[in-house]
Amino acid sequence: MQLSGLALGATMLPLSATGVQAKKPNAVFNLDFSDPADAADNTATSAGWVVDRRAPEAWTTDEGRLCIDIDETAETSGFYAYQGKKYQDADGTYWYAGTGSRLSYRFYIDPAWETDGEPHESGVWPVLGNASGSISAYPILAYQDSDASDTGEAQFRAYVYESDEDGNFVTDKWIDLGIPKKLGIDPEEGGWVDIEAQLQSFRDGAALKWRINNKLVVDERGYNVFAPSTQFLEFIVNSINFGNDATYYYDDFMLSTPGNARNT
């Protein structure tokens, strides 16, 4: 169900269709947040969430969505300005999902962000690993409202690593993506957007293809950093604390492995 571009009144809660992605073959996990357990902490016997840098004030289910309430009293600069959690298998172990795997999720753009005069930024950080299971890189896709963006316009941005023709690390940087017209997104109207990260084979490792509303926005063919990346290990949802009261919504957080995931 496509809800992108849906304008919502200020008194209405953003609704996301729960159960849109029913259980499918090769779904490693499939969180529709209709069950409070989908937002629960990791335990020795169950998959769950682990604090990454700084814990948000609240991390709960709300009408079938993941609701993240930022602690505006915490740090607003440096490493701990990011508040979030990472999703891991039972006992804090990695998922080890190889090339061809796909992470998909939904993110809510609140139209109030464009008129409240306060900055907002939130995004997902897939953690990649090499063949031995060591972390190799942290690609990111984040959304910024116009107050958070350096361009003064709401946008998506991607954190990428550049390599030379031999696959050796050169640099890492943020790339401003804007909001391409093909996505059909109006920040002033807001609504739910569908996002997907596909781990594709490349050279001796892998690269990511990021899609928004089923449109390709980033193809990291030059991605091969520190050690060849070959698999997804874990997934972090991080938001920046700007010192203002902020709430972010996510939904339908699913990891699928090859066979169910297209390899295109």
Side-chain angles (χ1 to χ4, degrees), residues 159-219:
Y159 191 69
V160 301
Y161 299 78
E162 290 185 343
S163 56
D164 61 21
E165 60 184 9
D166 297 320
N168 298 313
F169 172 71
V170 176
T171 189
D172 46 44
K173 62 182 181 180
W174 286 101
I175 296 177
D176 291 336
L177 304 177
I179 301 181
K181 290 184 179 180
K182 64 182 179 180
L183 301 184
I185 296 172
D186 183 346
E188 294 183 355
E189 293 185 357
W192 288 93
V193 296
D194 301 302
I195 302 176
E196 179 186 82
Q198 176 202 358
L199 192 61
Q200 60 175 340
S201 297
F202 182 71
R203 290 184 179 150
D204 295 326
L208 281 186
K209 285 184 177 178
W210 286 101
R211 293 180 174 89
I212 301 174
N213 288 348
N214 206 33
K215 303 293 185 182
L216 185 66
V217 293
V218 182
D219 189 350

Side-chain angles (χ1 to χ4, degrees), residues 237-253:
V237 180
N238 263 332
S239 308
I240 297 180
N241 175 29
F242 292 101
N244 53 284
D245 186 15
T247 302
Y248 300 101
Y249 292 98
Y250 287 84
D251 205 351
D252 295 324
F253 202 72

Side-chain angles (χ1 to χ4, degrees), residues 101-123:
S101 297
R102 290 174 181 251
L103 172 74
S104 60
Y105 60 95
R106 312 188 76 221
F107 174 69
Y108 182 71
I109 297 174
D110 191 335
W113 294 341
E114 290 306 303
T115 58
D116 63 7
E118 298 177 337
H120 296 83
E121 179 174 344
S122 186

Side-chain angles (χ1 to χ4, degrees), residues 216-239:
L216 185 66
V217 293
V218 182
D219 189 350
E220 299 177 345
R221 293 177 186 266
Y223 189 95
N224 189 1
V225 54
F226 303 128
S229 301
T230 61
Q231 56 190 334
F232 285 123
L233 297 182
E234 59 186 8
F235 305 95
I236 307 170
V237 180
N238 263 332
S239 308

Side-chain angles (χ1 to χ4, degrees), residues 2-20:
Q2 179 62 40
L3 300 179
S4 301
L6 177 64
L8 298 174
T11 60
M12 295 178 63
L13 288 175
L15 298 178
S16 176
T18 60
V20 171

Side-chain angles (χ1 to χ4, degrees), residues 23-34:
K23 292 190 180 299
K24 298 179 179 179
N26 303 322
V28 179
F29 58 74
N30 185 15
L31 309 177
D32 66 10
F33 300 101
S34 59

